Amino acid sequence: MLSRQNLIHRVLGLCFGAAAIALTAAPLGAQPDSAAPTIEEATEFVAEAEQHLIELGLEAQRASWVQQNFITLDTEMLAAKAGERAVTAAVQYAKKAPRYDGLTLPADVRRKLEFLKLSLTVPAPGEPKKTAELSQITASLDADYGRGKYCPPGKECLNLEQLSDTIDESHDPKELLEAWNGWHSIAPPMKERFARYVELGNEGARELGYRDMGALWRSKYDMPADDFAKEVDRLWNQVKPLYDQLHCYVRAKLVEKYGTGVVKPGEPIPAHLLGNMWAQDWSNVYSLVAPGSADPGYDLTERLRAKGTDALGMVKYGEGFFTSLGFAPLPQTFFERSLFVQPKDREVVCHASAWDLDNVEDLRIKMCIQVNAEDFQVIHHELGHNFYQRAFNRQPNFFRDSANDGFHEAVGDTIALSVTPEYLKKLGLIDTVPPPSKDIGLLLDRALEKIAFLPFGLLVDQWRWKVFSGEITPAHYNESWWQLRRKYQGIQPPIPRTEADFDAGAKYHVAASVPYTRYFLAAILQFQFHRALCQTAGVEGPLNRCSIYGNKEAGKKLEAMLAMGASRPWPDALEALTGSRQMDATAIVDYFQPLLVWLKEQNQSRTCGW
């Protein structure tokens, strides 16, 4: 996970919260709004914003690092205050940026102004009372989600983590249903405030020149907002046949497990049975659907521990992947300042994240590393963020970011795709590479994570875009949510739902107003990147067996794209790596081709679809 990718964009992406109230203060910038804007003024405005935000970002970044590594009331207050100062300034600059829309500006100045404008995920209306109201609503929705609990009659209340443990691990339909329904019961009180948030956010978006918040969010992708919506649909249609086969196979296995009274053949799968609260990752049902010959013949966790690997050794494996491609080693400060092991003397946020504290080379990882196969993948992913951060550190401050918000996560996952048995053998972690017949289990396990996610990654913002545009009204929030989940995921609620429910609000990104399409794009791009790098490396054979480890040509091409940062529209960055200016989901089908053939064989006598 990339928690701190760019100081300026970190500032711009900080939670809306109380900082929005500060919009009533005098705006930044030297020229009064009554004066006619000039090219010189616009250039000076951008330079001031760039310098001021980087200074505030440094302060906020370091305060946040300390807070997450030393969790106390005091560090939380200091981090919140630093973040408030930074986001207040960012919001004020963003609100002033449209003043220069009518000017013919140098390309870099125009791009930076667009970054400022589009940085506002939830744009506040200019009227102070409405700004304060929107701030209160967004803060309360976020807080309600965070403290949400289900309290069974006569029993101890359960939070999301505890309820998710049941969903992840249990195979008792009654337990699963209670946990699912219990968590979704926290959302109905949010519905009325969410509807008001939509009204106020849309008003703010229109003041910035956008039709609604959805149009603003889609305008962040270097193409007209409506064209981007069509692009997302095109990508989904490329991969849908693979998803349909996976859905058909998994549903049949769930019928075998639970019976036709719980899972009906030919219908959408009940949402509580797929091992994840939102049915967005089906990895936890692998034991129910795995083929008989799934064992790859080795246990990576066991092999790592047998070699005496510790947390630092895990990091060194990841760094070695990048140096094998020709990247320079990480600076010594990375090893001195990162957190690799959970401390025994204090509370820390253990969730893995990659940090860049000075926007140059103060790179760090914060992760409580466990020596196991999962964290071996994770550390390769996280270091992908760090090497991306360093690659673009010579760009102007506003361009020290990924080409679009899907690229950063995609790069980390691209590296993780090269953690193959072939790679493990080169490291001496396994003695022999399993035969191709063993690939099906590995591919199915990965598909339950990667392919199962795609329709959910798409539909969360499909729903919100329709809500923002007014196509979906508050009277139909829940009905429309489940229409989209049936259409894209082939998932249905396990019990009847009404408009008294607000099931979209049971997903953090909806309650906290975090755009979600970036995750869909990352899921597409990582395979496109992987295929292009494997072609550059001249690796032959199945795409799922390719690792670019040790290939300097692939490393050179990857580093060239990373170094572009956000200085050019994302199609330019994509072309630099893949030779194509268009995102292409066929790479996913190529990667999972052996599994697709196998799934079709398994599904020959089944009725697929819903």
Side-chain angles (χ1 to χ4, degrees):
M1 174 183 178
L2 176 68
S3 288
R4 307 290 182 268
Q5 64 186 48
N6 170 323
L7 290 176
I8 289 178
H9 290 88
R10 161 62 181 152
V11 168
L12 299 178
L14 282 167
C15 65
F16 188 74
I21 301 174
L23 286 175
T24 57
L28 299 168
Q31 299 295 326
D33 284 347
S34 58
T38 65
I39 294 175
E40 180 181 10
E41 179 195 337
T43 304
E44 291 176 354
F45 170 77
V46 166
E48 176 193 324
E50 203 161 17
Q51 182 60 36
H52 192 201
L53 291 178
I54 199 70
E55 292 170 356
L56 292 172
L58 280 166
E59 178 187 15
Q61 190 83 324
R62 295 194 183 282
S64 184
W65 173 266
V66 172
Q67 183 270 323
Q68 293 212 16
N69 283 278
F70 299 86
I71 301 175
T72 69
L73 174 63
D74 296 317
T75 59
E76 288 181 3
M77 292 178 67
L78 290 170
K81 193 66 177 177
E84 182 179 339
R85 284 192 293 270
V87 78
T88 297
V91 170
Q92 289 176 334
Y93 281 122
K95 297 289 279 190
K96 284 185 67 68
R99 168 174 166 77
Y100 308 103
D101 282 352
L103 297 174
T104 302
L105 298 168
D108 62 329
V109 176
R110 170 56 60 197
R111 187 164 178 79
K112 291 174 182 179
L113 280 170
E114 289 301 311
F115 277 14
L116 276 173
K117 270 200 311 180
L118 292 169
S119 68
L120 295 182
T121 300
V122 186
E127 186 179 329
K129 287 184 179 180
K130 290 182 178 179
T131 294
E133 181 185 2
L134 182 56
S135 175
Q136 189 278 325
I137 289 173
T138 55
S140 70
L141 290 173
D142 198 343
D144 280 4
Y145 188 96
R147 59 174 167 253
K149 290 184 178 180
Y150 163 59
C151 299
K155 296 182 181 179
E156 186 176 332
C157 293
L158 302 171
N159 60 24
L160 175 58
E161 183 177 357
Q162 294 166 314
L163 294 167
S164 290
D165 285 345
T166 298
I167 293 288
D168 295 351
E169 300 167 8
S170 176
H171 298 313
D172 181 333
K174 291 183 179 179
E175 287 183 357
L176 293 169
L177 178 58
E178 182 179 16
W180 186 94
N181 194 43
W183 177 248
H184 285 75
S185 70
I186 67 110
M190 302 180 188
K191 181 177 179 180
E192 185 176 344
R193 279 171 291 150
F194 182 85
R196 180 58 175 160
Y197 143 85
V198 171
E199 292 177 1
L200 294 170
N202 278 344
E203 186 175 335
R206 287 191 291 270
E207 291 178 9
L208 289 174
Y210 298 95
R211 195 166 61 238
D212 53 55
M213 276 200 291
L216 185 150
W217 289 9
R218 295 192 302 276
S219 295
K220 299 173 187 280
Y221 294 99
D222 295 307
M223 64 173 62
D226 291 343
D227 289 354
F228 179 71
K230 295 175 184 176
E231 177 71 356
V232 170
D233 278 335
R234 181 186 67 79
L235 293 168
W236 165 243
N237 286 325
Q238 286 183 313
V239 78
K240 185 178 183 297
L242 174 57
Y243 178 80
D244 288 348
Q245 290 295 325
L246 180 67
H247 181 282
C248 188
Y249 173 79
V250 169
R251 180 177 60 194
K253 289 296 181 179
L254 293 178
V255 170
E256 292 177 12
K257 170 65 178 177
Y258 294 112
T260 56
V262 177
V263 184
K264 294 180 172 56
E267 291 191 10
I269 301 171
H272 63 314
L273 300 178
L274 287 161
N276 175 271
M277 186 64 76
W278 307 277
Q280 69 182 65
D281 181 337
W282 303 353
S283 301
N284 287 316
V285 301
Y286 179 72
S287 62
L288 302 180
V289 305
S293 60
D295 183 4
Y298 66 87
D299 183 328
L300 180 55
T301 298
E302 183 180 283
R303 297 306 298 268
L304 286 166
R305 293 173 180 173
K307 282 186 169 289
T309 309
D310 58 10
L312 179 59
M314 297 275 280
V315 177
K316 284 293 187 178
Y317 276 128
E319 182 192 31
F321 187 99
F322 287 92
T323 56
S324 82
L325 300 178
F327 287 79
L330 291 162
Q332 184 58 33
T333 54
F334 170 85
F335 297 98
E336 295 168 352
R337 300 169 183 174
S338 290
L339 176 76
F340 300 143
V341 179
Q342 184 170 8
K344 296 180 180 179
D345 61 343
R346 66 182 191 272
E347 293 293 323
V348 301
V349 177
C350 271
H351 190 73
S353 54
W355 297 61
D356 177 6
L357 269 77
D358 67 353
N359 224 16
V360 182
E361 196 160 282
D362 190 355
L363 307 169
R364 306 182 192 183
I365 289 286
K366 180 187 61 58
M367 178 180 174
C368 302
I369 298 173
Q370 302 293 315
V371 179
N372 58 37
E374 180 180 359
D375 279 8
F376 190 81
Q377 293 263 359
V378 171
I379 194 62
H380 284 72
H381 171 98
E382 294 302 331
L383 288 174
H385 293 311
N386 284 140
F387 279 92
Y388 202 164
Q389 289 160 336
R390 185 169 66 177
F392 56 55
N393 69 10
R394 295 190 179 185
Q395 292 289 347
N397 286 323
F398 267 176
F399 299 152
R400 293 181 189 180
D401 199 1
S402 57
N404 71 34
D405 58 8
F407 270 60
H408 234 306
E409 291 297 326
V411 167
D413 280 339
T414 297
I415 300 307
L417 289 175
S418 272
V419 179
T420 63
E422 286 81 357
Y423 169 55
L424 299 178
K425 185 176 186 299
K426 289 179 180 178
L427 296 183
L429 288 170
I430 61 175
D431 299 322
T432 59
V433 175
S437 61
K438 298 293 185 180
D439 287 357
I440 296 303
L442 294 172
L443 284 170
L444 179 59
D445 192 20
R446 181 157 278 177
L448 293 172
E449 173 197 356
K450 302 285 188 179
I451 304 305
F453 171 76
L454 289 169
F456 188 79
L458 174 73
L459 71 86
V460 173
D461 279 351
Q462 290 277 355
W463 180 81
R464 281 191 290 196
W465 294 345
K466 293 175 185 294
V467 167
F468 295 153
S469 72
E471 182 178 342
I472 296 175
T473 64
H476 300 283
Y477 276 175
N478 219 49
E479 175 189 5
S480 299
W481 173 252
W482 283 106
Q483 284 176 348
L484 288 170
R485 297 201 68 182
R486 287 186 179 94
K487 174 183 176 181
Y488 287 107
Q489 282 187 288
I491 301 297
Q492 63 184 345
I495 54 176
R497 312 303 283 168
T498 71
E499 288 306 321
D501 301 303
F502 182 48
D503 293 328
K507 179 64 179 171
Y508 170 77
H509 299 73
V510 174
S513 197
V514 178
Y516 209 74
T517 304
R518 64 185 66 170
Y519 304 110
F520 174 78
L521 297 181
I524 299 293
L525 287 167
Q526 63 188 262
F527 290 95
Q528 189 174 0
F529 292 169
H530 180 63
R531 182 172 65 182
L533 289 169
C534 290
Q535 291 169 348
T536 297
V539 178
E540 298 180 353
L543 188 57
N544 65 288
R545 290 200 153 217
C546 166
S547 177
I548 62 169
Y549 176 73
N551 191 279
K552 298 294 194 295
E553 284 302 310
K556 183 179 179 181
K557 182 163 280 194
L558 176 61
E559 189 163 24
M561 185 200 78
L562 302 184
M564 294 173 67
S567 64
R568 302 287 302 159
W570 66 261
D572 292 357
L574 182 65
E575 185 177 27
L577 182 62
T578 69
S580 172
R581 298 182 62 79
Q582 189 175 55
M583 290 182 283
D584 185 3
T586 63
I588 299 180
V589 181
D590 286 352
Y591 183 92
F592 287 101
Q593 187 62 35
L595 178 66
L596 179 58
V597 172
W598 184 84
L599 288 172
K600 287 181 176 178
E601 292 173 352
Q602 306 304 306
N603 292 332
Q604 276 183 348
S605 61
R606 296 169 179 152
T607 300
C608 297
W610 57 86

